[in-house]
């Protein structure tokens, strides 16, 4: 059966979360004069934050922790690495990070072009995101890409995250799409590639950070425009 429905992951596949997070944290860092007050270099701080945040998101994906734990710990644990034990400061960063990140809506290079191209080819487009429900739709809206999607599914809507098959089942049901006519495009090896494969739909791995993971027969791209080679 011919592919009719394309499901996109959102963060770091279309919406450049890494870049937007970097810019947001830099704004907060400078506003609170962290370098002056604590003698912490921003690039070092961001590197530690990124490492901790990625690890916590993996634990959320695997069901080990919930989003409340992540929100309490990602900045707190980062500051602790620099021997700053200040819950009030870390909570300030967390609350303002979630609020201010939507001031930055950079998209991954080629995102709008490829969405326009796929629309012109009469594919029906959707989003399946592991992000928080309260920000997923706003990210799409504020970056101007919401108009391309028939449905937007966030993990909080279902109560599970990719690679759990229930989120795929929910999203395909919402889209009124069969497995045989659906394909997922995403950047996370476990959540997107393994998740889609285990669920039984085709997948394109967006190897945006050039992890060079190899699997025979797997459709792989390193730039969004390469989607045209497959669709």
């Amino acid at each position: 059966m011919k592919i009719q429905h394309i499901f996109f992951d959102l963060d770091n596949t279309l919406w450049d979360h890494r870049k937007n997070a970097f810019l947001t944290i830099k704004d907060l860092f400078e506003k609170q004069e962290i370098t002056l007050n604590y003698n912490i270099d921003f690039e070092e701080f961001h590197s530690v934050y990124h490492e901790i945040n990625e690890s916590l998101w993996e634990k959320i994906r695997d069901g080990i922790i919930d989003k409340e734990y992540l929100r309490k710990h990602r900045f707190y644990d980062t500051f602790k690495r620099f021997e700053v034990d200040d819950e009030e400061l870390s909570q300030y960063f967390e609350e303002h990070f979630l609020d201010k990140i939507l001031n930055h809506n950079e998209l991954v290079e080629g995102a709008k072009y490829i969405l326009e191209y796929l629309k012109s080819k009469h594919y029906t487009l959707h989003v399946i995101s592991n992000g928080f429900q309260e920000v997923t739709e706003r990210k799409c809206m504020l970056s101007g890409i919401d108009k391309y999607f028939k449905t937007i599914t966030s993990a909080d809507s279902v109560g599970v995250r990719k690679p759990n098959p229930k989120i795929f089942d929910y999203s395909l049901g919402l889209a009124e799409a069969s497995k045989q006519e659906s394909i997922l495009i995403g950047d996370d090896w476990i959540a997107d590639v393994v998740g889609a494969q285990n669920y039984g739909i085709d997948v394109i791995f967006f190897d945006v950070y050039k992890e060079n993971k190899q699997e025979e027969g797997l459709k792989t791209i390193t730039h969004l425009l390469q989607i045209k080679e497959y669709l």
Side-chain angles (χ1 to χ4, degrees):
M1 191 180 290
K2 186 182 175 184
I3 296 294
Q4 297 289 336
H5 294 269
I6 302 172
F7 294 82
F8 278 94
D9 171 58
L10 184 62
D11 286 345
N12 299 319
T13 299
L14 295 173
W15 198 83
D16 197 338
H17 185 273
R18 288 195 184 186
K19 185 172 185 179
N20 295 323
F22 178 91
L23 294 170
T24 304
I25 296 168
K26 194 169 192 292
D27 289 345
L28 295 173
F29 199 88
E30 291 172 353
K31 186 174 182 180
Q32 290 298 303
E33 299 183 323
I34 301 299
T35 299
L36 179 65
N37 292 328
Y38 301 100
N39 196 30
I40 302 172
D41 175 74
F42 173 71
E43 293 289 345
E44 289 181 33
F45 181 87
H46 180 263
S47 178
V48 171
Y49 164 82
H50 178 70
E51 173 198 329
I52 288 171
N53 188 55
E54 290 288 298
S55 175
L56 289 171
W57 271 106
E58 287 174 5
K59 289 175 181 175
I60 279 188
R61 180 197 67 202
D62 297 340
I64 298 169
I65 63 171
D66 58 19
K67 67 179 183 181
E68 283 72 26
Y69 185 94
L70 176 139
R71 287 175 167 177
K72 183 177 180 181
H73 282 272
R74 58 180 167 185
F75 286 106
Y76 181 71
D77 291 357
T78 301
F79 276 111
K80 283 268 285 186
R81 287 271 194 98
F82 294 93
E83 300 181 345
V84 177
D85 188 345
D86 189 331
E87 287 189 22
E88 188 176 340
L89 178 64
S90 60
Q91 199 55 38
Y92 170 89
F93 265 72
E94 179 61 32
E95 289 172 4
H96 286 78
F97 174 76
L98 290 173
D99 184 46
K100 301 296 186 185
I101 192 169
L102 293 173
N103 291 340
H104 300 283
N105 280 287
E106 297 287 334
L107 295 171
V108 174
E109 186 177 8
K112 278 198 174 178
Y113 176 90
I114 202 64
L115 292 171
E116 199 66 51
Y117 167 80
L118 294 171
K119 269 289 192 184
S120 74
K121 302 285 281 187
H122 305 294
Y123 291 105
T124 305
L125 310 181
H126 312 270
V127 166
I128 308 180
S129 171
N130 269 0
F132 301 145
Q133 182 178 357
E134 59 267 34
V135 295
T136 297
E137 290 189 4
R138 289 181 68 201
K139 285 177 177 178
C140 292
M141 182 180 67
L142 292 172
S143 62
I145 60 175
D146 58 315
K147 64 184 179 183
Y148 295 105
F149 304 114
K150 180 183 177 184
T151 68
I152 297 174
T153 299
S154 63
D156 289 352
S157 307
V158 194
V160 295
R161 286 174 161 74
K162 298 175 290 183
N164 191 306
K166 289 180 181 177
I167 191 170
F168 294 101
D169 213 34
Y170 176 90
S171 192
L172 265 68
L174 195 63
E176 300 179 315
S178 70
K179 292 183 181 183
Q180 293 78 15
E181 61 184 4
S182 301
I183 191 167
L184 175 77
I185 301 169
D187 70 296
D188 188 291
W189 183 263
I190 301 296
D192 298 317
V193 177
V194 174
Q197 289 174 335
N198 287 346
Y199 180 66
I201 61 173
D202 202 0
V203 61
I204 296 174
F205 175 44
F206 182 24
D207 191 10
V208 62
Y209 301 112
K210 297 181 174 58
E211 299 172 60
N212 294 316
K213 292 180 183 285
Q214 300 295 326
E215 186 177 286
E216 188 176 351
L218 177 66
K219 299 176 178 71
T220 302
I221 59 172
T222 56
H223 192 287
L224 287 176
L225 298 192
Q226 293 171 325
I227 290 171
K228 295 169 74 172
E229 297 173 14
Y230 298 109
L231 295 166

